[in-house]
Amino acid sequence: MLAGEIIKHNKTGSLSEEQADNIRRVILPYPTEIWQATVQERSNLFPAAYNTLKAAIIGFLSAIGIGLGLAILLSSSKALKRSLYPWILVIQTIPIIILAPIIAIWLKQGAHSVAVVSFLISFFPIVANTTMGLTSTDKNLLELFAVSKASMLQEILFLRFPYALPHFLSGVKIAAVLAPIGAIAGDIFVGTSAGGQGGIGFLAILYKGDVNTPALYACAALACLMGFLFVGLVNYVQWLLLHNWHESSLDGEA
Amino acid sequence: MVEENAIVQLKKLSKRFDQDQDVLSDIDLEVKEGEFISFVGPSGCGKSTLLRMLAGLTSVSEGALLIDGATPTEPRDDLYLVFQEANLLPWARVRENVELPMKLQGKPKITRQAVADAIVELVGLQDAADRFPRQLSGGMKMRVSIARALSVSPRILLLDEPFGALDAITRNQLNEDLLKIREKDPFTAFFVTHSVAEAVFLSTRIVVLESNPGRIADIIDVPHSYPRTVEFRESPEYFDLLARTSKSLRQQKGESE
Ligand SMILES: Nc1ncnc2c1ncn2[C@@H]1O[C@H](COP(=O)(O)OP(=O)(O)OP(=O)(O)O)[C@@H](O)[C@H]1O
Ligand SMILES: [Mg+2]
C-alpha cells in the first residue's frame, strides 16, 4: 500500500528524489544499508545477540532434558499420561502474551525469565514426539526381548530408546526452531535491559521507536542466523546418529 | 511316569482367549529330545498360539505344558524363538544383532564376540558381519535371525514360519543349512510352516492340525535318517510322504470350509 503511495507521489512529482529515497529506506532498505546498520550498531547488536543466544541455548537444553523426562514419565503409565498430559497441553495452549506477565510476576523480569519463555515455547514438540516414539515400539521386537528375558531397564535402554530416537530428534528439530523465537519473544515480554541483559527482541523495540528499519532487518537476520545454527546443529547430530540405519537419513543409494 | 527323554509334553492342552471358543483344544503330544516337529494346518488353527505358549508368551488355559517334566514358570534360558519376520534391530550391525540375547543375559563382551563370530560363520554371513539389516537380502536377514537364536545354544528352538516370505530356492537352501547347523549344534525343533515340502524335508514328525477348534488331526512320521541331503528330496519315500501329508491337510481344509 505504502509503496504504492510513494510511487504515485513520485510520479506526480510531489516528493523530492531524496524524500522518496528516505521513505524507501524505511520500508525496504537495500542489503548494503542493512549491512551498514549492522556495522554501525554492532556494539548494541552483538551483545544483544549473545544474550538472546544464551537464553535460547538454556531454553533449548532444558526443553530437551525436561521434555525427554516428561516423555519417559508419560509413556511409562497410562494413568500418568492421563493426569499429566492435560496440564502440559494447558501450558502449551495459553498464548505467550498471556503467560508472559504471569511468569514476570512469579520470577521477575530478567534473563532467567527469558530462558523460561524459550523453554515453554519449545518443549512441547519434544514431549509429544518422544512419547509417540516410546509408546510405538514394534510389538515383535518387544516379544523378542520378552523371550530373551530382558529386564525392564534393558528393554528401555536397548529397545525403547533407540526405537524412539528418530521421533525424539524430529521433536528436537522443531524445538531448535522455536527456542530462539521463544528467547526473542521472551525478551520483549519478560526481559530487561538493565545491566546490559537486553536481547534482540529488546533492541528491535528500540529500533522500531527510532524507525531504524535497516537495524530492524539486522535483528531479523540475526534471529534467522540463530535458527539456522540451531537447526544445522540438530541436523548434524541427527545425521551422526541415524545415517547408518534410519530411512529418513538414507541417501538413496547404498 | 515321565519318559526319560521326553523334553516337551503337552497334555490335554487347551487355549482360549477371553470367553471365546477354544482356539486350541485337547492337544496331546510328547516330544523326545532331538526331534524335529513340524506343525501344518489351515490358517488360524492356532499354530502360532501353540508356539507362543511353548515360549511362555501366552498362558495355558487348560491342561498341562511340561518342559523337562515341569511347568515352566518363566521364560527359559534354553529355549528361543525365531519369528516369521527376521525381527532385527535396525540400528545394530549383524554381529550386534547376533550378540543381543547374550548381551541381555549379561554375558561378558569377550564371550559374546567369540560366540558371535563362530555362529555368524556357521550361517555363512562372515562377510556381512558389519552390515546393517537394511543392507541385507531377505534370506540373509533370516540367517541373522537364526544365528541370533542359536547364539544362546538353545535346547529347544521354536520357529514360526521362518522362511514363509522367501522364494523357493532360498527356502530350500536355508532348509538344508538349518539341518547342517543342527548336526553341529543339536536342538529340539518346533517348526510351523505352510509348506508341506519343507515339513517333510526337515521333520521327524509332522503334526497336522484341524481348525475351530485347533486339534491334532494326524501325525505323520518321517523315518528317514539325518543327515538329509538333496537326494532325499528326489526319493520315492519323500514324494510318498509329501502326498500323504498334502492329502491329510486337504481333508482338514475341506472340513473347515
Ligand atoms: N491375542 C489374541 N487375542 C484373541 N485372539 C487371538 C489372539 N491371538 C490369536 N488369536 C486367535 O487365535 C486363532 C489362532 O491364531 P494363530 O495366530 O495361532 O493362528 P495360526 O495357525 O498361526 O495362523 P496362520 O497360519 O495364519 O499364522 C485365530 O483365530 C486368532 O484370531
Ligand atoms: Mg501364525
Side-chain angles (χ1 to χ4, degrees), chain B residues 155-211:
Chain B
R155 273 174 71 216
I156 303 172
L157 189 59
L158 313 173
L159 304 105
D160 192 354
E161 295 187 47
F163 310 135
L166 305 179
D167 62 277
I169 298 170
T170 313
R171 178 190 282 235
N172 282 351
Q173 184 61 51
L174 281 170
N175 284 171
E176 286 154 30
D177 290 351
L178 186 65
L179 289 188
K180 268 186 219 147
I181 290 166
R182 216 168 74 99
E183 295 294 318
K184 288 190 199 160
D185 209 349
F187 51 82
T188 306
F190 292 82
F191 189 94
V192 171
T193 178
H194 276 120
S195 156
V196 174
E198 190 171 59
V200 172
F201 183 71
L202 293 172
S203 319
T204 53
R205 280 193 287 167
I206 303 166
V207 177
V208 181
L209 295 168
E210 60 182 57
S211 64

Coordinates of all heavy atoms in Angstrom, one line a residue, chain B residues 155-211:
Chain B
R155 N 18.3 -75.5 23.7 CA 18.0 -76.9 23.6 C 16.7 -77.1 22.8 O 16.5 -78.0 22.1 CB 17.8 -77.5 25.0 CG 19.0 -78.0 25.6 CD 18.7 -78.5 27.0 NE 17.9 -79.7 27.1 CZ 17.0 -80.0 28.0 NH1 16.7 -79.1 28.9 NH2 16.3 -81.1 28.0
I156 N 15.8 -76.1 22.9 CA 14.6 -76.1 22.2 C 14.5 -74.8 21.3 O 14.7 -73.7 21.8 CB 13.4 -76.1 23.2 CG1 13.5 -77.3 24.1 CG2 12.1 -76.1 22.4 CD1 12.4 -77.2 25.2
L157 N 14.3 -75.0 20.0 CA 14.1 -73.9 19.1 C 12.7 -73.9 18.5 O 12.3 -74.9 17.9 CB 15.2 -73.9 18.0 CG 15.4 -72.7 17.2 CD1 15.7 -71.5 18.0 CD2 16.5 -72.9 16.1
L158 N 12.0 -72.8 18.7 CA 10.7 -72.6 18.1 C 10.8 -71.7 16.9 O 11.4 -70.7 16.9 CB 9.8 -71.9 19.1 CG 9.8 -72.5 20.5 CD1 8.9 -71.6 21.4 CD2 9.3 -73.9 20.5
L159 N 10.3 -72.2 15.7 CA 10.4 -71.4 14.5 C 9.0 -71.3 13.9 O 8.3 -72.2 13.6 CB 11.3 -72.1 13.5 CG 12.7 -72.4 14.0 CD1 12.9 -73.9 14.3 CD2 13.8 -72.0 13.0
D160 N 8.5 -70.0 13.8 CA 7.2 -69.7 13.3 C 7.3 -69.3 11.9 O 7.5 -68.1 11.6 CB 6.5 -68.7 14.2 CG 5.0 -68.6 13.9 OD1 4.6 -69.2 12.9 OD2 4.3 -67.9 14.6
E161 N 7.0 -70.2 10.9 CA 7.1 -69.8 9.5 C 8.3 -69.0 9.2 O 8.2 -67.9 8.6 CB 5.9 -69.1 9.1 CG 4.6 -69.9 9.2 CD 3.4 -69.2 8.6 OE1 3.6 -68.7 7.4 OE2 2.4 -69.1 9.2
P162 N 9.5 -69.4 9.6 CA 10.7 -68.5 9.4 C 11.0 -68.2 7.9 O 11.5 -67.2 7.6 CB 11.8 -69.3 10.0 CG 11.4 -70.8 10.0 CD 9.9 -70.7 10.1
F163 N 10.6 -69.2 7.0 CA 11.0 -69.0 5.6 C 9.8 -68.6 4.8 O 9.9 -68.7 3.5 CB 11.8 -70.2 5.1 CG 12.9 -70.7 6.0 CD1 13.0 -72.0 6.4 CD2 13.7 -69.8 6.6 CE1 14.0 -72.4 7.2 CE2 14.8 -70.2 7.4 CZ 14.9 -71.5 7.7
G164 N 8.7 -68.3 5.4 CA 7.5 -68.1 4.7 C 7.6 -67.0 3.6 O 6.9 -67.0 2.6
A165 N 8.4 -66.0 3.9 CA 8.5 -64.8 2.9 C 9.5 -65.0 1.9 O 9.8 -64.1 1.1 CB 8.7 -63.6 3.7
L166 N 10.2 -66.2 1.8 CA 11.3 -66.3 0.9 C 10.9 -67.1 -0.3 O 10.0 -67.9 -0.3 CB 12.5 -67.0 1.6 CG 12.9 -66.4 2.9 CD1 14.1 -67.2 3.5 CD2 13.4 -65.0 2.7
D167 N 11.7 -66.9 -1.4 CA 11.4 -67.7 -2.6 C 11.9 -69.1 -2.4 O 12.6 -69.5 -1.5 CB 12.2 -67.1 -3.8 CG 13.7 -67.1 -3.6 OD1 14.2 -66.2 -2.9 OD2 14.4 -68.0 -4.0
A168 N 11.4 -70.0 -3.3 CA 11.6 -71.5 -3.1 C 13.0 -71.9 -3.1 O 13.4 -72.7 -2.3 CB 10.9 -72.2 -4.3
I169 N 13.9 -71.2 -3.9 CA 15.3 -71.6 -4.0 C 16.0 -71.2 -2.7 O 16.7 -72.1 -2.1 CB 16.0 -70.9 -5.2 CG1 15.3 -71.3 -6.5 CG2 17.5 -71.2 -5.2 CD1 15.7 -70.6 -7.7
T170 N 15.8 -70.0 -2.2 CA 16.4 -69.6 -1.0 C 15.9 -70.5 0.2 O 16.6 -70.8 1.1 CB 16.0 -68.1 -0.7 OG1 16.3 -67.4 -1.9 CG2 16.9 -67.6 0.4
R171 N 14.6 -70.8 0.1 CA 14.0 -71.6 1.2 C 14.6 -73.0 1.2 O 15.0 -73.4 2.3 CB 12.5 -71.7 0.9 CG 11.7 -72.5 1.9 CD 10.3 -72.8 1.3 NE 9.5 -71.6 1.5 CZ 8.3 -71.7 2.2 NH1 7.9 -72.8 2.7 NH2 7.6 -70.6 2.3
N172 N 14.8 -73.6 0.1 CA 15.4 -74.9 0.1 C 16.9 -74.8 0.6 O 17.3 -75.7 1.4 CB 15.5 -75.5 -1.4 CG 14.2 -76.0 -1.8 OD1 13.2 -76.1 -1.0 ND2 14.0 -76.3 -3.1
Q173 N 17.6 -73.8 0.2 CA 18.9 -73.6 0.7 C 19.0 -73.5 2.2 O 19.7 -74.1 2.9 CB 19.5 -72.4 0.0 CG 21.0 -72.1 0.4 CD 21.9 -73.3 -0.1 OE1 21.8 -73.7 -1.3 NE2 22.7 -73.8 0.8
L174 N 18.1 -72.7 2.7 CA 18.1 -72.4 4.2 C 17.6 -73.7 4.9 O 18.1 -74.0 6.0 CB 17.2 -71.3 4.5 CG 17.8 -69.9 4.3 CD1 16.8 -68.8 4.4 CD2 19.0 -69.7 5.3
N175 N 16.7 -74.5 4.3 CA 16.3 -75.7 4.9 C 17.5 -76.7 5.1 O 17.7 -77.2 6.2 CB 15.3 -76.5 4.1 CG 13.9 -75.8 4.2 OD1 13.0 -76.2 3.4 ND2 13.7 -74.9 5.1
E176 N 18.3 -76.8 4.0 CA 19.5 -77.6 4.1 C 20.5 -77.1 5.1 O 21.0 -77.9 5.9 CB 20.1 -77.7 2.7 CG 19.4 -78.6 1.7 CD 19.6 -78.2 0.3 OE1 20.7 -77.7 -0.1 OE2 18.6 -78.4 -0.5
D177 N 20.6 -75.8 5.1 CA 21.6 -75.2 6.1 C 21.1 -75.4 7.5 O 21.9 -75.6 8.4 CB 21.7 -73.7 5.8 CG 22.5 -73.5 4.5 OD1 23.1 -74.5 3.9 OD2 22.6 -72.3 4.0
L178 N 19.8 -75.3 7.7 CA 19.3 -75.4 9.1 C 19.6 -76.8 9.6 O 20.0 -77.0 10.7 CB 17.8 -75.2 9.1 CG 17.1 -75.2 10.4 CD1 17.6 -74.0 11.3 CD2 15.6 -75.1 10.3
L179 N 19.4 -77.8 8.7 CA 19.8 -79.2 9.1 C 21.2 -79.4 9.4 O 21.7 -80.1 10.3 CB 19.3 -80.2 8.1 CG 17.7 -80.4 8.0 CD1 17.4 -81.5 7.1 CD2 17.1 -80.6 9.4
K180 N 22.1 -78.8 8.5 CA 23.5 -78.8 8.8 C 23.9 -78.2 10.1 O 24.7 -78.8 10.8 CB 24.2 -78.1 7.6 CG 24.6 -79.0 6.5 CD 25.5 -78.2 5.5 CE 25.0 -78.6 4.0 NZ 25.2 -77.4 3.1
I181 N 23.3 -77.1 10.4 CA 23.6 -76.4 11.7 C 23.2 -77.4 12.8 O 23.9 -77.5 13.8 CB 22.9 -75.1 11.7 CG1 23.5 -74.1 10.8 CG2 22.9 -74.5 13.2 CD1 22.7 -72.9 10.5
R182 N 22.1 -78.0 12.6 CA 21.5 -78.9 13.7 C 22.5 -80.1 13.9 O 22.5 -80.6 15.0 CB 20.1 -79.3 13.4 CG 19.2 -79.4 14.6 CD 17.8 -79.6 14.1 NE 17.6 -80.9 13.7 CZ 17.0 -81.9 14.4 NH1 16.6 -81.6 15.6 NH2 16.8 -83.1 13.9
E183 N 23.2 -80.5 12.9 CA 24.1 -81.6 13.0 C 25.2 -81.2 14.0 O 25.6 -81.9 14.9 CB 24.8 -82.0 11.7 CG 23.8 -82.6 10.7 CD 23.2 -83.9 11.1 OE1 24.0 -84.7 11.6 OE2 22.0 -84.1 10.9
K184 N 25.7 -79.9 13.8 CA 26.8 -79.4 14.7 C 26.3 -79.0 16.0 O 27.1 -79.2 17.0 CB 27.4 -78.2 14.0 CG 28.2 -78.5 12.7 CD 29.0 -77.3 12.3 CE 29.4 -77.5 10.8 NZ 29.7 -76.2 10.2
D185 N 25.1 -78.5 16.1 CA 24.7 -77.9 17.3 C 23.2 -78.3 17.6 O 22.3 -77.6 17.3 CB 24.7 -76.3 17.1 CG 25.0 -75.6 18.4 OD1 24.9 -76.2 19.5 OD2 25.2 -74.4 18.3
P186 N 23.1 -79.5 18.1 CA 21.7 -80.2 18.1 C 20.7 -79.4 19.0 O 21.1 -78.9 20.0 CB 22.0 -81.5 18.7 CG 23.4 -81.8 18.6 CD 24.1 -80.4 18.7
F187 N 19.5 -79.4 18.5 CA 18.4 -78.8 19.3 C 17.1 -79.5 18.9 O 17.0 -80.1 17.8 CB 18.3 -77.3 19.1 CG 18.2 -76.9 17.6 CD1 17.0 -77.0 16.9 CD2 19.3 -76.4 16.9 CE1 16.9 -76.6 15.6 CE2 19.2 -76.1 15.6 CZ 18.0 -76.1 14.9
T188 N 16.2 -79.4 19.8 CA 14.8 -80.0 19.5 C 14.0 -78.8 18.9 O 14.0 -77.7 19.4 CB 14.1 -80.4 20.8 OG1 15.0 -81.3 21.5 CG2 12.8 -81.1 20.5
A189 N 13.4 -79.1 17.7 CA 12.8 -78.0 17.0 C 11.3 -78.2 16.9 O 10.7 -79.3 16.8 CB 13.4 -78.0 15.6
F190 N 10.6 -77.1 17.1 CA 9.1 -77.0 16.8 C 9.0 -75.9 15.7 O 9.4 -74.8 15.8 CB 8.4 -76.5 18.0 CG 8.4 -77.5 19.1 CD1 9.4 -77.6 20.0 CD2 7.3 -78.4 19.3 CE1 9.4 -78.6 21.0 CE2 7.3 -79.3 20.3 CZ 8.3 -79.4 21.1
F191 N 8.5 -76.4 14.5 CA 8.6 -75.6 13.3 C 7.2 -75.5 12.7 O 6.5 -76.5 12.3 CB 9.5 -76.4 12.4 CG 9.9 -75.7 11.1 CD1 11.1 -74.9 11.1 CD2 9.2 -75.7 10.0 CE1 11.5 -74.3 9.9 CE2 9.6 -75.0 8.8 CZ 10.7 -74.3 8.8
V192 N 6.7 -74.3 12.5 CA 5.4 -74.0 11.9 C 5.7 -73.6 10.5 O 6.6 -72.9 10.1 CB 4.7 -72.9 12.6 CG1 3.5 -72.5 11.8 CG2 4.3 -73.3 14.0
T193 N 4.9 -74.3 9.5 CA 5.1 -73.9 8.1 C 3.8 -74.1 7.4 O 2.9 -74.8 7.8 CB 6.2 -74.8 7.5 OG1 6.3 -74.4 6.1 CG2 5.9 -76.3 7.7
H194 N 3.7 -73.4 6.2 CA 2.6 -73.7 5.3 C 3.1 -74.6 4.2 O 2.3 -75.0 3.3 CB 2.1 -72.4 4.7 CG 1.1 -71.7 5.6 ND1 1.3 -70.5 6.2 CD2 -0.1 -72.2 6.1 CE1 0.2 -70.2 6.9 NE2 -0.6 -71.2 6.9
S195 N 4.4 -74.9 4.1 CA 4.9 -75.6 3.0 C 5.1 -77.1 3.4 O 5.9 -77.4 4.3 CB 6.3 -75.1 2.6 OG 7.0 -76.1 2.0
V196 N 4.3 -78.0 2.8 CA 4.4 -79.4 3.1 C 5.7 -79.9 2.7 O 6.3 -80.7 3.5 CB 3.3 -80.1 2.3 CG1 3.4 -81.6 2.5 CG2 1.9 -79.6 2.8
A197 N 6.3 -79.5 1.6 CA 7.6 -79.9 1.2 C 8.7 -79.7 2.3 O 9.5 -80.5 2.6 CB 8.0 -79.3 -0.1
E198 N 8.6 -78.5 2.8 CA 9.5 -78.1 3.9 C 9.4 -79.0 5.1 O 10.4 -79.4 5.7 CB 9.2 -76.6 4.2 CG 10.2 -75.9 5.1 CD 9.9 -74.4 5.2 OE1 8.8 -74.1 5.6 OE2 10.8 -73.6 4.8
A199 N 8.1 -79.2 5.5 CA 7.8 -80.0 6.6 C 8.4 -81.4 6.5 O 9.1 -82.0 7.4 CB 6.3 -80.1 6.9
V200 N 8.2 -82.0 5.3 CA 8.7 -83.4 5.0 C 10.2 -83.4 5.1 O 10.8 -84.3 5.7 CB 8.1 -83.9 3.7 CG1 8.8 -85.3 3.4 CG2 6.6 -84.1 3.8
F201 N 10.8 -82.5 4.4 CA 12.3 -82.5 4.3 C 12.9 -82.3 5.7 O 13.9 -83.0 6.0 CB 12.7 -81.3 3.4 CG 14.2 -81.3 3.2 CD1 14.9 -82.3 2.5 CD2 15.0 -80.4 3.8 CE1 16.2 -82.3 2.3 CE2 16.4 -80.4 3.7 CZ 17.0 -81.3 2.9
L202 N 12.3 -81.5 6.6 CA 13.0 -81.2 7.8 C 12.7 -82.2 9.0 O 13.5 -82.4 9.8 CB 12.6 -79.8 8.3 CG 13.1 -78.6 7.4 CD1 12.5 -77.3 7.9 CD2 14.6 -78.5 7.5
S203 N 11.5 -82.7 9.0 CA 10.9 -83.2 10.3 C 11.2 -84.6 10.6 O 11.4 -85.4 9.7 CB 9.4 -83.0 10.4 OG 9.1 -81.7 9.8
T204 N 11.1 -84.9 11.9 CA 11.0 -86.3 12.3 C 9.5 -86.7 12.4 O 9.1 -87.8 12.1 CB 11.6 -86.6 13.7 OG1 11.0 -85.6 14.6 CG2 13.1 -86.4 13.7
R205 N 8.7 -85.7 12.7 CA 7.2 -85.9 12.7 C 6.5 -84.7 12.3 O 6.9 -83.6 12.6 CB 6.7 -86.3 14.2 CG 6.9 -87.7 14.5 CD 6.2 -88.1 15.8 NE 6.8 -87.5 17.0 CZ 6.2 -87.5 18.1 NH1 4.9 -87.9 18.3 NH2 6.8 -86.9 19.2
I206 N 5.4 -84.9 11.5 CA 4.6 -83.7 11.1 C 3.3 -83.8 11.8 O 2.6 -84.8 11.7 CB 4.4 -83.8 9.5 CG1 5.8 -83.8 8.8 CG2 3.6 -82.6 9.1 CD1 5.7 -84.2 7.4
V207 N 2.9 -82.8 12.5 CA 1.6 -82.7 13.2 C 0.7 -81.9 12.3 O 0.9 -80.7 12.1 CB 1.8 -82.1 14.6 CG1 0.4 -82.0 15.2 CG2 2.8 -82.9 15.4
V208 N -0.4 -82.6 11.8 CA -1.4 -81.9 11.0 C -2.5 -81.4 12.0 O -3.1 -82.2 12.7 CB -2.0 -82.8 9.9 CG1 -3.0 -82.0 9.1 CG2 -0.8 -83.3 9.1
L209 N -2.8 -80.1 11.9 CA -3.8 -79.6 12.8 C -5.1 -79.3 12.0 O -5.0 -78.9 10.9 CB -3.4 -78.3 13.5 CG -2.2 -78.4 14.5 CD1 -1.6 -77.1 14.8 CD2 -2.6 -79.2 15.7
E210 N -6.3 -79.5 12.7 CA -7.5 -79.0 12.1 C -7.9 -77.8 12.8 O -7.4 -77.5 13.9 CB -8.6 -80.1 12.2 CG -8.9 -80.5 13.7 CD -9.9 -81.6 13.8 OE1 -9.7 -82.7 13.2 OE2 -11.0 -81.4 14.4
S211 N -8.9 -77.0 12.3 CA -9.2 -75.8 12.9 C -10.6 -75.7 13.5 O -11.5 -76.5 13.2 CB -9.0 -74.6 12.0 OG -9.9 -74.7 10.9

